Amino acid sequence: MKIIKVADKRTKRLFHKVPHLIYKNDKNWAAPLEGMVESVFSPDKNPSFKDGIAERWILLDEKNALVGRIAAFIQYGKSKTYEQPTGGCGFFECTDNFEAAKILFDTAKEWLAQHGMEAMDGPVNFGENYMNWGLLVDGFMPQGYGMPYNPPYYEALFRKYGFEVYFEQYSYHIDYTVPFPERFWKIAGWIAQKPEYNFKHFEYSQTEKFIRDFGTVYDGAWRFHEHFKPLDPQDLRDFIMSAKAILDPEMIWFAYHGEEPIAMFVMVPDINQILQKLNGKMNLINIIKFFWYKKRKIISRTRILIMGVVPKYQRSGVESAIFWHQDKLMKKKPQYKELELSWAGDFNPKIISLYKSVGGKQMKTHYTMRYLFDRSKPFHRAPIIT
């Protein structure tokens, strides 16, 4: 077999071709837009390159047929927050062939080791963890936008190589046609109408204010997490600009105590329901198709990308009040029938408890897996957030 670094138009084209070979008969798969995948590997578009590096490869068999691909990346600031310097591998796709998978994993491992890493997590993203993060092991159904999908046999390939589960990721679903639990609703309505709290959804005309408020909540909510890194406002500006075709401002909420931002909630329409019809391309015809399908309101699902509450207000019920306001809005958008809350790590019992309290049912499980280069070193799972 022959491993080839992706370095030109031809190898980039082959990199994007691999998943189409793997999923050609799988109706659950939604091909990600090639342009969005390319942006992950573009220093001009991905802020992770400010403090990181990435590389990717394709694998050909003896007959020069494509059999797999993989990427490896390092975010130096984050890599040093673990017990050992840890990089990542992702965008893994492979035929059901352990020999091929081993070559791909070995290539990523050797590159990471050459750059000072002592472990690799996978499959993960070169960027934020709400996109392209985790190995699907349960719930082989159409995934929400940004949530990875893969064949069931991938788990065996990862485990046989030596990866172990670092943490589990759970996706919860809410059926919008079923009322929220009555007890939850009473508490949520009571909190939502308390005069000291106020709730606003995002408006493009006040983008800079909401970017500041998002940063305040984000930094406050995750400050005590072991891998915390303060939010760069420019990263958020870039995300808002790049995702304008996806975002619905009325699905992004902020909660305030007086004028102090204390919580935020970001939900997006599940555009995978459209992407399944575009085959990963965004040419002129598919751009027209995208907006035509969007106008026809064929999207019936939404996905919560992120929720955060500053610690002082985490027992106040303000999260419930955001759901109360959001539910009133969703009643005006009857095309949406289902909400996915994804993902909640098994290390975060608070968010799991919240998702269950609103009637969420666990439907999917992904794994973030870790491989220690020193095979004699004891393996530790991600610590629980207390």
Side-chain angles (χ1 to χ4, degrees):
M1 294 191 191
K2 181 167 56 177
I3 194 87
I4 301 173
K5 183 160 64 174
V6 175
D8 54 26
K9 288 184 179 180
R10 174 181 168 273
T11 48
K12 286 180 182 179
R13 187 170 63 252
L14 293 174
F15 184 84
H16 294 295
K17 187 177 179 180
V18 175
H20 290 272
L21 300 174
I22 301 295
Y23 303 103
K24 61 183 177 181
N25 297 315
D26 194 332
K27 294 180 180 179
N28 287 330
W29 181 63
L33 292 175
E34 293 179 8
M36 296 187 74
V37 174
E38 280 303 308
S39 68
V40 173
F41 298 97
S42 169
D44 295 329
K45 296 179 180 179
N46 186 349
S48 298
F49 279 99
K50 295 175 185 176
D51 183 36
I53 54 176
E55 197 65 84
R56 52 181 163 156
W57 302 265
I58 54 173
L59 182 65
L60 306 179
D61 67 12
E62 296 80 1
K63 297 179 180 179
N64 283 328
L66 282 167
V67 291
R69 73 177 195 183
I70 199 167
F73 16 76
I74 302 167
Q75 290 176 273
Y76 285 105
K78 184 178 179 180
S79 72
K80 297 173 184 176
T81 64
Y82 296 101
E83 182 179 348
Q84 66 285 311
T86 302
C89 67
F91 296 90
F92 172 85
E93 303 287 0
C94 188
T95 57
D96 192 0
N97 179 334
F98 179 69
E99 181 186 354
K102 185 177 185 303
I103 292 171
L104 291 167
F105 290 140
D106 281 347
T107 301
K109 179 185 74 172
E110 289 163 11
W111 183 85
L112 290 167
Q114 288 168 7
H115 290 86
M117 298 297 103
E118 297 175 9
M120 66 177 170
D121 288 350
V124 299
N125 187 33
F126 186 41
E128 297 298 333
N129 64 16
Y130 54 78
M131 295 288 288
N132 305 315
W133 201 283
L135 181 76
L136 181 65
V137 296
D138 183 55
F140 291 91
M141 60 184 73
Q143 301 296 299
Y145 172 68
M147 290 300 292
Y149 181 81
N150 53 261
Y153 67 80
Y154 277 18
E155 182 183 358
L157 297 179
F158 274 79
R159 288 189 182 276
K160 187 172 182 179
Y161 187 75
F163 281 90
E164 297 181 68
V165 178
Y166 185 53
F167 57 79
E168 299 184 9
Q169 307 160 227
Y170 307 131
S171 294
Y172 294 84
H173 287 206
I174 292 176
D175 183 346
Y176 269 132
T177 66
V178 176
F180 278 51
E182 185 176 350
R183 180 177 177 277
F184 169 86
W185 217 231
K186 286 181 179 179
I187 295 172
W190 174 65
I191 302 252
Q193 296 175 80
K194 292 180 75 171
E196 61 265 38
Y197 294 119
N198 63 90
F199 302 83
K200 301 176 183 177
H201 63 70
F202 176 77
E203 296 179 29
Y204 281 109
S205 62
Q206 299 184 56
T207 295
E208 287 303 313
K209 168 184 165 44
F210 286 119
I211 285 175
R212 291 193 299 271
D213 294 347
F214 189 102
T216 297
V217 176
Y218 181 92
D219 292 350
W222 280 276
R223 185 175 303 278
F224 300 106
H225 193 278
E226 62 173 336
H227 309 303
F228 169 74
K229 185 176 75 171
L231 184 74
D232 183 337
Q234 188 56 48
D235 293 352
L236 195 53
R237 289 188 194 97
D238 293 342
F239 170 75
I240 291 171
M241 291 305 297
S242 65
K244 260 195 169 182
I246 300 170
L247 297 178
D248 180 343
E250 293 182 326
M251 291 184 179
I252 302 172
W253 283 86
F254 291 83
Y256 299 84
H257 185 264
E259 295 300 316
E260 176 191 2
I262 61 172
M264 48 83 169
F265 165 106
V266 179
M267 185 166 74
V268 296
D270 183 8
I271 66 164
N272 271 3
Q273 290 176 285
I274 296 179
L275 296 186
Q276 283 182 312
K277 305 174 184 297
L278 304 184
N279 207 33
K281 308 285 187 181
M282 196 52 101
N283 49 34
L284 179 59
I285 292 176
N286 278 353
I287 290 173
I288 295 171
K289 282 184 178 180
F290 179 89
F291 286 104
W292 183 73
Y293 284 125
K294 190 176 178 183
K295 189 174 182 179
R296 283 190 62 207
K297 299 181 179 180
I298 72 163
I299 299 176
S300 61
R301 301 190 299 259
T302 63
R303 179 192 166 204
I304 292 181
L305 292 182
I306 187 170
M307 284 187 69
V309 183
V310 298
K312 182 179 177 181
Y313 296 92
Q314 285 180 356
R315 296 180 183 273
S316 68
V318 69
E319 313 99 318
S320 307
I322 290 177
F323 273 100
W324 187 87
H325 280 280
Q326 180 66 14
D327 183 70
K328 290 185 174 298
L329 170 70
M330 297 308 285
K331 283 182 169 58
K332 300 176 184 177
K333 299 175 183 279
Q335 69 269 29
Y336 296 114
K337 308 296 185 187
E338 186 179 8
L339 164 63
E340 179 176 309
L341 305 114
S342 58
W343 47 267
D346 64 355
F347 54 82
N348 193 345
K350 284 185 179 179
I351 199 70
I352 289 175
S353 177
L354 171 64
Y355 287 175
K356 289 181 177 178
S357 75
V358 298
K361 295 182 178 179
Q362 185 179 329
M363 299 292 287
K364 304 165 190 168
T365 302
H366 290 74
Y367 289 163
T368 292
M369 307 189 81
R370 175 166 289 181
Y371 179 87
L372 301 177
F373 299 169
D374 181 352
R375 305 307 293 157
S376 66
K377 189 172 183 178
F379 182 87
H380 302 289
R381 288 187 62 143
I384 302 296
I385 297 175
T386 58

